[in-house]
Amino acid sequence: MAQESLIRLQCGKVGKESAAAKFAVATLADDFSIEEDKPYAELWMGTHPSLPSRDLATKRSLLEIVQGNQGLISQDISRQYGEKLPFLFKVLSIRKALSIQAHPDKKLAEQLHARDSKNYPDDNHKPEMTIAITPFDGLCGFRPLAEIAHFLSTVPSLQKLVGEATSKAFQEAIQGRDTSDLGDDKDKNKKALRDTFSALMNTDKEKIEAAAKDLIESAKKEGEEFAGGGGPSNGGKELADLVVRLDGQFPGDIGLFVLFFLNYIKMEPGEAMFLKADDIHAYLSGDIIECMAASDNVVRAGFTPKFKDISTLISMLTYNYAPISEQKMSPVDYPYVTLSATAYSSNSSVILYDPPIEEFSVGKTELRKPGAKATFEPIAGPSIVICTEGGGKICAGGKVEEVKEGFVFFAGAGAEVVLESGTEEPFVTFKAFCELGGKEDDGKAERNGRL
């Protein structure tokens, strides 16, 4: 019997009460319980073997379903990605800082998985995109070098850990070339950054804890004057408050010093950023939509009681440095959708977050009036849709389903998908999808060619 093109999903999760837990309740997972002691919550949507979604009606795993009918994800995607979805879609709610981490590229993931499958459960890379659904803050990528040099000069406890000689060598190495675009200058800058960051990460735990006490004392006492008044990106009081807040969560942690090397980013709902494999980051607070290549590999080094692999982290990073503006993404209008007259007149919208990789893109639909409708052209790939606000109906392959906040659906390749609002409040959905060599990929290639 042919498999239906539209399947309501039951999705796995962990964590405490939050947006992710609230949406998880709506999936009616059999074993659902809110764990109040967890500082975060995740709602996983996809076929990753660690926690595959299930058909709500039959309880069959989505992984089993697509392996039994490769046409649901398309023959091309099935061949290229081993009969499973190429992406993992998540809602992540953060109430306490998550680990300072990076995700390996494909080659390193294969090596780590072969060496240590317990801590590195698969052999895939994990580029990821983050879209804020509530105010969010985090650490992302290395700061511009001049900012790091400023903090090495104005935060005595940081300079003490790195070492005066190493700090001086860094300052001298980047002087006059910190913003140069010349390849040779960039290579020298990256080496200087790696040497300095390595010096910090290899510091003894006892020295870090002692230095952290001095750091916290300075942060509490100096306020606006902390860290030389801050850098161009962050004020002294903002950094002082951040240091005190994070010390309250992870007292004496090395992450308190790593933050002076990394961009501190704040995002409002709808703002997004993209992280390539080997990009260092830490999510600190907020509710986000995440989409990533289908992997659960994480190399951690701070703000965590879990397994830390500092030597691997130091060796794997690209040591690219840039202001946070270069990692933020700007959505574009989604071109392959038709809005009804009611949708147009109510200022409804469909926008596309389109990172420079083939595994996934994410569309956000906001229908602002009952009866407003968005009709998506069929694509040669699978989609997963989650409702984050409001409600209405979804139709695909001739099947119509009611949609409420937290409901999750899988739509098979080749199916026209129609969303229709049924509430006075905005009907908001996010749709993760993949299409190889189709109109979505063509548009992505064109946009990436302009970057």
Side-chain angles (χ1 to χ4, degrees):
M1 185 176 73
Q3 176 67 49
E4 295 176 332
S5 295
L6 183 66
I7 305 169
R8 186 175 165 201
L9 298 178
Q10 182 181 73
C11 303
K13 75 283 130 225
V14 295
K16 67 182 287 187
E17 190 167 5
S18 60
K22 179 171 63 174
F23 299 154
V25 170
T27 72
L28 302 177
D30 296 330
D31 59 349
F32 178 76
S33 63
I34 293 174
E35 301 175 45
E36 293 293 344
D37 61 332
K38 297 288 186 181
Y40 64 95
E42 295 183 84
L43 179 68
W44 286 36
M45 300 167 280
T47 57
H48 194 281
S50 295
L51 202 60
S53 301
R54 297 183 176 276
D55 183 327
L56 183 64
T58 67
K59 309 305 181 187
R60 290 178 70 203
S61 79
L62 184 59
L63 179 60
E64 179 187 352
I65 290 169
V66 300
Q67 287 178 336
N69 185 349
Q70 296 177 28
L72 285 173
I73 61 175
S74 84
Q75 295 291 336
D76 288 345
I77 288 175
S78 183
R79 280 193 296 269
Q80 185 158 331
Y81 293 102
E83 300 182 350
K84 57 185 183 291
L85 294 187
F87 60 82
L88 175 60
F89 202 25
K90 291 184 183 182
V91 178
L92 181 59
S93 296
I94 309 138
R95 299 293 175 265
K96 181 180 180 181
L98 301 186
S99 60
I100 293 170
Q101 60 184 256
H103 307 298
D105 60 24
K106 180 65 175 167
K107 182 178 179 181
L108 179 59
E110 291 171 350
Q111 295 170 353
L112 293 174
H113 179 64
R115 186 179 78 201
D116 183 1
S117 60
K118 177 183 176 182
N119 289 302
Y120 302 105
D122 58 69
D123 62 359
N124 201 16
H125 69 164
K126 193 182 175 183
E128 66 186 33
M129 179 171 64
T130 298
I131 306 169
I133 54 178
T134 65
F136 163 89
D137 71 337
L139 305 172
C140 179
F142 286 106
R143 293 176 179 271
L145 300 180
E147 291 190 29
I148 298 172
H150 170 78
F151 293 132
L152 287 170
S153 299
T154 59
V155 182
S157 51
L158 174 64
Q159 186 187 91
K160 185 176 181 181
L161 290 178
V162 170
E164 186 176 348
T166 302
S167 296
K168 184 178 179 181
F170 177 78
Q171 306 263 10
E172 292 175 348
I174 69 166
Q175 188 172 10
R177 64 165 66 97
D178 60 294
T179 60
S180 172
D181 289 328
L182 297 177
D184 187 51
D185 286 344
K186 284 186 173 182
D187 289 343
K188 290 177 180 177
N189 287 342
K190 288 181 180 182
K191 182 182 184 305
L193 178 56
R194 175 175 174 151
D195 290 346
T196 309
F197 186 68
S198 299
L200 172 64
M201 298 305 294
N202 286 315
T203 303
D204 293 340
K205 182 179 179 182
E206 293 76 16
K207 292 181 179 178
I208 292 169
E209 290 175 348
K213 292 178 181 178
D214 294 337
L215 181 71
I216 298 306
E217 183 180 345
S218 296
K220 290 179 177 178
K221 181 175 64 176
E222 295 173 10
E224 288 288 358
E225 300 304 315
F226 179 67
S233 303
N234 310 114
K237 182 67 163 57
E238 182 179 41
L239 289 172
D241 290 346
L242 178 62
V243 165
V244 172
R245 171 183 141 204
L246 293 176
D247 184 67
Q249 298 174 8
F250 293 96
D253 193 271
I254 194 170
L256 301 174
F257 298 96
V258 172
L259 69 85
F260 292 105
F261 282 81
L262 306 184
N263 289 299
Y264 176 51
I265 179 175
K266 292 182 177 180
M267 296 197 304
E268 294 300 317
E271 291 191 294
M273 65 180 178
F274 175 68
L275 297 166
K276 299 186 292 292
D278 302 329
D279 277 349
I280 188 170
H281 60 282
Y283 297 158
L284 303 181
S285 70
D287 298 307
I288 58 176
I289 293 284
E290 266 194 307
C291 200
M292 61 203 70
S295 171
D296 194 29
N297 285 324
V298 183
V299 182
R300 301 179 182 88
F303 291 152
T304 181
K306 296 181 180 180
F307 172 72
K308 299 176 186 177
D309 194 347
I310 291 173
S311 61
T312 297
L313 184 86
I314 290 171
S315 65
M316 70 185 280
L317 297 177
T318 62
Y319 294 95
N320 290 324
Y321 48 90
I324 195 60
S325 58
E326 294 191 16
Q327 290 193 274
K328 280 192 174 183
M329 295 181 62
S330 296
V332 297
D333 289 336
Y334 186 89
Y336 306 111
V337 64
T338 301
L339 295 178
S340 67
T342 302
Y344 271 117
S345 65
S346 58
N347 200 29
S348 298
S349 63
V350 184
I351 56 176
L352 176 67
Y353 298 89
D354 201 20
I357 56 169
E358 66 179 10
E359 283 96 332
F360 60 84
S361 300
V362 174
K364 178 188 178 184
T365 301
E366 186 168 351
L367 300 175
R368 294 179 170 272
K369 189 174 182 179
K373 198 181 286 190
T375 302
F376 293 84
E377 295 178 17
I379 61 171
S383 304
I384 289 182
V385 180
I386 181 171
C387 173
T388 59
E389 188 178 344
K393 294 186 292 186
I394 184 171
C395 175
K399 183 179 180 182
V400 180
E401 288 266 8
E402 180 186 24
V403 183
K404 294 181 179 179
E405 185 180 88
F407 282 24
V408 182
F409 295 89
F410 170 83
E416 178 185 78
V417 176
V418 182
L419 295 168
E420 181 177 352
S421 177
T423 55
E424 291 292 341
E425 66 179 312
F427 176 32
V428 181
T429 61
F430 288 86
K431 181 180 79 162
F433 62 92
C434 176
E435 183 180 39
L436 301 180
K439 53 180 174 283
E440 300 297 348
D441 251 20
D442 292 342
K444 181 174 296 192
E446 180 183 345
R447 281 186 292 277
N448 293 339
R450 295 197 297 264
L451 293 179

CSV table of all heavy atoms in Angstrom, one decimal, residues 1-7 60 62-80 82-86 378-383 397 410-416 434-436:
chain,number,residue,atom,x,y,z
A,1,MET,N,0.9,-1.2,0.0
A,1,MET,CA,0.0,0.0,0.0
A,1,MET,C,0.9,1.2,0.0
A,1,MET,O,1.9,1.3,0.7
A,1,MET,CB,-0.9,0.0,1.3
A,1,MET,CG,-1.9,1.2,1.3
A,1,MET,SD,-3.0,1.1,2.7
A,1,MET,CE,-1.9,1.6,4.0
A,2,ALA,N,0.5,2.2,-0.8
A,2,ALA,CA,1.3,3.4,-0.9
A,2,ALA,C,1.3,4.2,0.4
A,2,ALA,O,0.2,4.3,1.1
A,2,ALA,CB,0.8,4.3,-2.0
A,3,GLN,N,2.4,4.8,0.8
A,3,GLN,CA,2.5,5.6,2.0
A,3,GLN,C,1.9,7.0,1.8
A,3,GLN,O,2.2,7.6,0.7
A,3,GLN,CB,3.9,5.7,2.4
A,3,GLN,CG,4.2,6.6,3.6
A,3,GLN,CD,3.6,6.0,4.9
A,3,GLN,OE1,3.8,4.8,5.2
A,3,GLN,NE2,2.8,6.8,5.6
A,4,GLU,N,1.1,7.5,2.7
A,4,GLU,CA,0.6,8.8,2.6
A,4,GLU,C,1.7,9.8,2.6
A,4,GLU,O,2.8,9.6,3.2
A,4,GLU,CB,-0.4,9.1,3.8
A,4,GLU,CG,-1.6,8.2,3.8
A,4,GLU,CD,-2.5,8.5,5.1
A,4,GLU,OE1,-1.9,8.9,6.1
A,4,GLU,OE2,-3.7,8.3,5.0
A,5,SER,N,1.4,11.0,1.9
A,5,SER,CA,2.5,12.0,1.8
A,5,SER,C,2.5,12.9,3.0
A,5,SER,O,3.4,13.7,3.2
A,5,SER,CB,2.2,12.8,0.5
A,5,SER,OG,2.4,12.1,-0.6
A,6,LEU,N,1.5,12.9,3.9
A,6,LEU,CA,1.4,13.8,5.0
A,6,LEU,C,1.2,12.9,6.3
A,6,LEU,O,0.3,12.1,6.4
A,6,LEU,CB,0.2,14.7,4.9
A,6,LEU,CG,0.1,15.8,6.1
A,6,LEU,CD1,1.3,16.7,6.0
A,6,LEU,CD2,-1.2,16.5,6.0
A,7,ILE,N,2.2,13.0,7.2
A,7,ILE,CA,2.2,12.2,8.4
A,7,ILE,C,2.4,13.1,9.6
A,7,ILE,O,3.3,13.9,9.7
A,7,ILE,CB,3.4,11.2,8.4
A,7,ILE,CG1,3.3,10.3,7.1
A,7,ILE,CG2,3.3,10.3,9.7
A,7,ILE,CD1,4.6,9.5,6.9
A,60,ARG,N,5.1,3.7,14.0
A,60,ARG,CA,6.3,3.4,13.2
A,60,ARG,C,7.3,4.5,13.2
A,60,ARG,O,6.9,5.7,13.1
A,60,ARG,CB,6.0,3.0,11.8
A,60,ARG,CG,5.2,1.7,11.6
A,60,ARG,CD,4.9,1.5,10.2
A,60,ARG,NE,6.1,1.2,9.4
A,60,ARG,CZ,6.2,1.4,8.1
A,60,ARG,NH1,5.1,1.9,7.4
A,60,ARG,NH2,7.3,1.1,7.4
A,62,LEU,N,9.8,7.3,11.8
A,62,LEU,CA,10.0,7.9,10.5
A,62,LEU,C,11.1,7.3,9.7
A,62,LEU,O,11.1,7.2,8.5
A,62,LEU,CB,10.1,9.4,10.7
A,62,LEU,CG,10.2,10.3,9.4
A,62,LEU,CD1,8.9,10.1,8.6
A,62,LEU,CD2,10.4,11.8,9.8
A,63,LEU,N,12.2,6.9,10.4
A,63,LEU,CA,13.3,6.3,9.8
A,63,LEU,C,12.9,5.0,9.0
A,63,LEU,O,13.2,4.8,7.9
A,63,LEU,CB,14.4,6.0,10.8
A,63,LEU,CG,15.7,5.3,10.3
A,63,LEU,CD1,16.4,6.2,9.2
A,63,LEU,CD2,16.6,5.0,11.4
A,64,GLU,N,12.1,4.2,9.7
A,64,GLU,CA,11.6,3.0,9.1
A,64,GLU,C,10.7,3.3,7.9
A,64,GLU,O,10.8,2.6,6.9
A,64,GLU,CB,10.9,2.1,10.1
A,64,GLU,CG,10.3,0.8,9.6
A,64,GLU,CD,9.4,0.1,10.7
A,64,GLU,OE1,9.4,0.6,11.8
A,64,GLU,OE2,8.7,-0.8,10.3
A,65,ILE,N,9.9,4.3,8.1
A,65,ILE,CA,8.9,4.6,7.0
A,65,ILE,C,9.7,5.1,5.7
A,65,ILE,O,9.4,4.6,4.6
A,65,ILE,CB,8.0,5.8,7.5
A,65,ILE,CG1,7.0,5.2,8.5
A,65,ILE,CG2,7.2,6.3,6.3
A,65,ILE,CD1,6.2,6.3,9.2
A,66,VAL,N,10.7,6.0,5.8
A,66,VAL,CA,11.3,6.5,4.6
A,66,VAL,C,12.3,5.4,4.0
A,66,VAL,O,12.5,5.4,2.8
A,66,VAL,CB,12.1,7.8,4.9
A,66,VAL,CG1,11.1,8.9,5.4
A,66,VAL,CG2,13.2,7.6,5.9
A,67,GLN,N,12.8,4.5,4.9
A,67,GLN,CA,13.6,3.4,4.4
A,67,GLN,C,12.7,2.4,3.6
A,67,GLN,O,13.2,1.8,2.6
A,67,GLN,CB,14.3,2.7,5.5
A,67,GLN,CG,15.5,3.6,6.1
A,67,GLN,CD,16.2,2.9,7.2
A,67,GLN,OE1,15.6,2.0,7.9
A,67,GLN,NE2,17.4,3.3,7.5
A,68,GLY,N,11.5,2.3,4.0
A,68,GLY,CA,10.6,1.4,3.3
A,68,GLY,C,10.0,2.0,2.0
A,68,GLY,O,9.4,1.3,1.2
A,69,ASN,N,10.1,3.4,1.9
A,69,ASN,CA,9.5,4.0,0.7
A,69,ASN,C,10.4,5.2,0.4
A,69,ASN,O,10.2,6.3,0.8
A,69,ASN,CB,8.1,4.5,1.0
A,69,ASN,CG,7.4,5.1,-0.3
A,69,ASN,OD1,8.1,5.4,-1.3
A,69,ASN,ND2,6.1,5.3,-0.2
A,70,GLN,N,11.4,5.0,-0.4
A,70,GLN,CA,12.4,6.0,-0.7
A,70,GLN,C,11.9,7.2,-1.5
A,70,GLN,O,12.4,8.3,-1.4
A,70,GLN,CB,13.6,5.4,-1.4
A,70,GLN,CG,14.4,4.3,-0.6
A,70,GLN,CD,15.5,3.7,-1.3
A,70,GLN,OE1,16.1,4.3,-2.2
A,70,GLN,NE2,15.8,2.4,-1.0
A,71,GLY,N,10.8,6.9,-2.1
A,71,GLY,CA,10.1,8.0,-2.9
A,71,GLY,C,9.7,9.2,-2.0
A,71,GLY,O,9.5,10.3,-2.5
A,72,LEU,N,9.5,8.9,-0.7
A,72,LEU,CA,9.0,9.9,0.2
A,72,LEU,C,10.1,11.0,0.4
A,72,LEU,O,9.8,12.2,0.8
A,72,LEU,CB,8.7,9.3,1.6
A,72,LEU,CG,7.3,8.6,1.6
A,72,LEU,CD1,7.2,7.9,3.0
A,72,LEU,CD2,6.2,9.6,1.4
A,73,ILE,N,11.4,10.6,0.2
A,73,ILE,CA,12.4,11.6,0.4
A,73,ILE,C,13.1,11.9,-1.0
A,73,ILE,O,14.0,12.8,-1.0
A,73,ILE,CB,13.5,11.3,1.4
A,73,ILE,CG1,14.2,10.0,1.1
A,73,ILE,CG2,12.8,11.2,2.8
A,73,ILE,CD1,15.3,9.6,2.1
A,74,SER,N,12.8,11.2,-2.0
A,74,SER,CA,13.3,11.2,-3.4
A,74,SER,C,14.5,10.2,-3.5
A,74,SER,O,15.2,10.0,-2.5
A,74,SER,CB,13.7,12.6,-3.8
A,74,SER,OG,15.1,12.9,-3.4
A,75,GLN,N,14.5,9.6,-4.7
A,75,GLN,CA,15.6,8.6,-4.9
A,75,GLN,C,17.0,9.3,-4.8
A,75,GLN,O,17.9,8.7,-4.2
A,75,GLN,CB,15.4,8.0,-6.3
A,75,GLN,CG,14.2,7.2,-6.5
A,75,GLN,CD,14.2,5.9,-5.7
A,75,GLN,OE1,15.2,5.4,-5.4
A,75,GLN,NE2,13.0,5.4,-5.4
A,76,ASP,N,17.1,10.5,-5.3
A,76,ASP,CA,18.4,11.2,-5.2
A,76,ASP,C,18.9,11.4,-3.8
A,76,ASP,O,20.1,11.1,-3.4
A,76,ASP,CB,18.4,12.5,-5.9
A,76,ASP,CG,18.3,12.4,-7.4
A,76,ASP,OD1,18.6,11.3,-7.9
A,76,ASP,OD2,18.0,13.4,-8.1
A,77,ILE,N,18.0,11.9,-2.9
A,77,ILE,CA,18.4,12.1,-1.5
A,77,ILE,C,18.6,10.8,-0.8
A,77,ILE,O,19.5,10.7,0.0
A,77,ILE,CB,17.3,13.0,-0.8
A,77,ILE,CG1,17.3,14.4,-1.4
A,77,ILE,CG2,17.4,13.0,0.7
A,77,ILE,CD1,16.2,15.3,-0.8
A,78,SER,N,17.8,9.8,-1.1
A,78,SER,CA,18.0,8.5,-0.5
A,78,SER,C,19.3,7.9,-0.8
A,78,SER,O,20.0,7.4,0.1
A,78,SER,CB,16.9,7.6,-0.9
A,78,SER,OG,17.0,6.3,-0.3
A,79,ARG,N,19.8,8.0,-2.1
A,79,ARG,CA,21.1,7.5,-2.5
A,79,ARG,C,22.2,8.3,-1.8
A,79,ARG,O,23.2,7.7,-1.3
A,79,ARG,CB,21.2,7.6,-4.0
A,79,ARG,CG,20.5,6.4,-4.7
A,79,ARG,CD,21.0,6.4,-6.2
A,79,ARG,NE,20.6,7.6,-6.9
A,79,ARG,CZ,19.5,7.7,-7.6
A,79,ARG,NH1,18.6,6.7,-7.6
A,79,ARG,NH2,19.2,8.8,-8.2
A,80,GLN,N,22.1,9.6,-1.8
A,80,GLN,CA,23.2,10.4,-1.3
A,80,GLN,C,23.3,10.4,0.2
A,80,GLN,O,24.4,10.5,0.7
A,80,GLN,CB,23.0,11.9,-1.8
A,80,GLN,CG,24.2,12.8,-1.4
A,80,GLN,CD,24.2,14.0,-2.3
A,80,GLN,OE1,23.8,14.0,-3.4
A,80,GLN,NE2,24.8,15.1,-1.8
A,82,GLY,N,21.9,7.9,2.4
A,82,GLY,CA,21.8,6.7,3.1
A,82,GLY,C,20.4,6.4,3.6
A,82,GLY,O,20.2,5.9,4.7
A,83,GLU,N,19.3,6.7,2.8
A,83,GLU,CA,18.0,6.3,3.1
A,83,GLU,C,17.5,7.0,4.4
A,83,GLU,O,16.7,6.4,5.2
A,83,GLU,CB,17.8,4.8,3.2
A,83,GLU,CG,18.1,4.1,1.9
A,83,GLU,CD,17.9,2.6,1.9
A,83,GLU,OE1,17.6,2.1,3.1
A,83,GLU,OE2,18.0,2.0,0.9
A,84,LYS,N,17.9,8.2,4.6
A,84,LYS,CA,17.4,9.0,5.8
A,84,LYS,C,17.3,10.4,5.5
A,84,LYS,O,17.9,10.9,4.5
A,84,LYS,CB,18.2,8.7,7.0
A,84,LYS,CG,19.7,9.0,6.9
A,84,LYS,CD,20.4,8.6,8.1
A,84,LYS,CE,21.9,9.0,8.1
A,84,LYS,NZ,22.6,8.2,7.1
A,85,LEU,N,16.7,11.2,6.3
A,85,LEU,CA,16.6,12.6,6.1
A,85,LEU,C,18.0,13.2,6.2
A,85,LEU,O,18.8,12.8,7.2
A,85,LEU,CB,15.7,13.3,7.1
A,85,LEU,CG,14.2,13.0,7.0
A,85,LEU,CD1,13.5,14.0,8.0
A,85,LEU,CD2,13.7,13.2,5.6
A,86,PRO,N,18.4,14.2,5.4
A,86,PRO,CA,19.8,14.7,5.5
A,86,PRO,C,19.9,15.8,6.6
A,86,PRO,O,21.0,16.3,6.9
A,86,PRO,CB,20.0,15.4,4.1
A,86,PRO,CG,18.6,15.7,3.6
A,86,PRO,CD,17.7,14.6,4.2
A,378,PRO,N,5.3,21.9,-5.2
A,378,PRO,CA,6.0,20.6,-4.9
A,378,PRO,C,7.5,20.8,-5.1
A,378,PRO,O,7.9,21.5,-6.0
A,378,PRO,CB,5.4,19.6,-5.9
A,378,PRO,CG,4.1,20.2,-6.3
A,378,PRO,CD,4.3,21.7,-6.3
A,379,ILE,N,8.2,20.1,-4.2
A,379,ILE,CA,9.7,20.1,-4.3
A,379,ILE,C,10.1,18.6,-4.3
A,379,ILE,O,9.4,17.7,-3.8
A,379,ILE,CB,10.4,20.8,-3.2
A,379,ILE,CG1,10.1,20.3,-1.8
A,379,ILE,CG2,10.1,22.3,-3.3
A,379,ILE,CD1,11.0,20.8,-0.7
A,380,ALA,N,11.3,18.3,-4.9
A,380,ALA,CA,11.8,17.0,-5.0
A,380,ALA,C,12.6,16.6,-3.8
A,380,ALA,O,13.8,16.3,-3.8
A,380,ALA,CB,12.6,16.8,-6.3
A,381,GLY,N,11.9,16.7,-2.6
A,381,GLY,CA,12.6,16.4,-1.4
A,381,GLY,C,11.6,16.5,-0.2
A,381,GLY,O,10.5,17.0,-0.4
A,382,PRO,N,12.0,16.0,1.0
A,382,PRO,CA,11.1,15.9,2.1
A,382,PRO,C,11.0,17.2,2.9
A,382,PRO,O,12.0,18.1,2.8
A,382,PRO,CB,11.8,14.8,3.0
A,382,PRO,CG,13.2,15.0,2.7
A,382,PRO,CD,13.3,15.4,1.2
A,383,SER,N,10.0,17.4,3.7
A,383,SER,CA,9.8,18.6,4.5
A,383,SER,C,9.3,18.1,5.9
A,383,SER,O,8.6,17.1,6.0
A,383,SER,CB,8.8,19.6,4.0
A,383,SER,OG,9.1,20.0,2.7
A,397,GLY,N,-0.9,15.9,-0.5
A,397,GLY,CA,-1.3,14.6,-1.0
A,397,GLY,C,-2.7,14.3,-0.9
A,397,GLY,O,-3.1,13.1,-0.7
A,410,PHE,N,5.3,15.5,8.8
A,410,PHE,CA,6.2,15.2,7.7
A,410,PHE,C,5.5,15.3,6.4
A,410,PHE,O,4.3,14.7,6.3
A,410,PHE,CB,6.8,13.8,7.9
A,410,PHE,CG,7.6,13.3,6.7
A,410,PHE,CD1,8.9,13.6,6.5
A,410,PHE,CD2,7.0,12.5,5.7
A,410,PHE,CE1,9.6,13.2,5.4
A,410,PHE,CE2,7.7,12.0,4.6
A,410,PHE,CZ,9.0,12.4,4.5
A,411,ALA,N,6.0,15.9,5.4
A,411,ALA,CA,5.4,16.0,4.0
A,411,ALA,C,6.4,15.4,3.0
A,411,ALA,O,7.6,15.8,3.0
A,411,ALA,CB,5.1,17.4,3.6
A,412,GLY,N,6.0,14.4,2.3
A,412,GLY,CA,6.8,13.7,1.4
A,412,GLY,C,7.2,14.5,0.1
A,412,GLY,O,6.6,15.5,-0.2
A,413,ALA,N,8.3,14.0,-0.5
A,413,ALA,CA,8.7,14.6,-1.8
A,413,ALA,C,7.6,14.6,-2.8
A,413,ALA,O,6.8,13.7,-2.9
A,413,ALA,CB,9.9,13.9,-2.3
A,414,GLY,N,7.5,15.7,-3.6
A,414,GLY,CA,6.5,15.8,-4.7
A,414,GLY,C,5.1,16.2,-4.3
A,414,GLY,O,4.3,16.3,-5.1
A,415,ALA,N,4.9,16.5,-3.0
A,415,ALA,CA,3.6,16.8,-2.5
A,415,ALA,C,3.4,18.4,-2.5
A,415,ALA,O,4.3,19.1,-1.9
A,415,ALA,CB,3.3,16.2,-1.1
A,416,GLU,N,2.3,18.9,-3.0
A,416,GLU,CA,2.0,20.3,-2.8
A,416,GLU,C,1.5,20.4,-1.4
A,416,GLU,O,0.7,19.6,-0.9
A,416,GLU,CB,0.9,20.7,-3.8
A,416,GLU,CG,0.4,22.1,-3.6
A,416,GLU,CD,-0.8,22.4,-4.5
A,416,GLU,OE1,-1.9,22.0,-4.1
A,416,GLU,OE2,-0.6,23.1,-5.5
A,434,CYS,N,14.7,19.8,2.2
A,434,CYS,CA,15.9,19.6,1.3
A,434,CYS,C,15.5,19.2,-0.1
A,434,CYS,O,14.5,18.4,-0.3
A,434,CYS,CB,16.8,18.4,1.9
A,434,CYS,SG,18.2,18.0,0.9
A,435,GLU,N,16.1,19.8,-1.1
A,435,GLU,CA,15.9,19.4,-2.5
A,435,GLU,C,17.3,19.5,-3.2
A,435,GLU,O,17.9,20.6,-3.1
A,435,GLU,CB,14.9,20.3,-3.1
A,435,GLU,CG,14.6,20.0,-4.6
A,435,GLU,CD,13.6,20.9,-5.2
A,435,GLU,OE1,13.6,22.1,-5.0
A,435,GLU,OE2,12.7,20.4,-6.0
A,436,LEU,N,17.7,18.5,-3.8
A,436,LEU,CA,19.0,18.4,-4.5
A,436,LEU,C,18.8,18.8,-6.0
A,436,LEU,O,17.9,18.1,-6.7
A,436,LEU,CB,19.6,17.1,-4.4
A,436,LEU,CG,19.9,16.6,-3.0
A,436,LEU,CD1,20.6,15.2,-3.1
A,436,LEU,CD2,20.8,17.5,-2.2
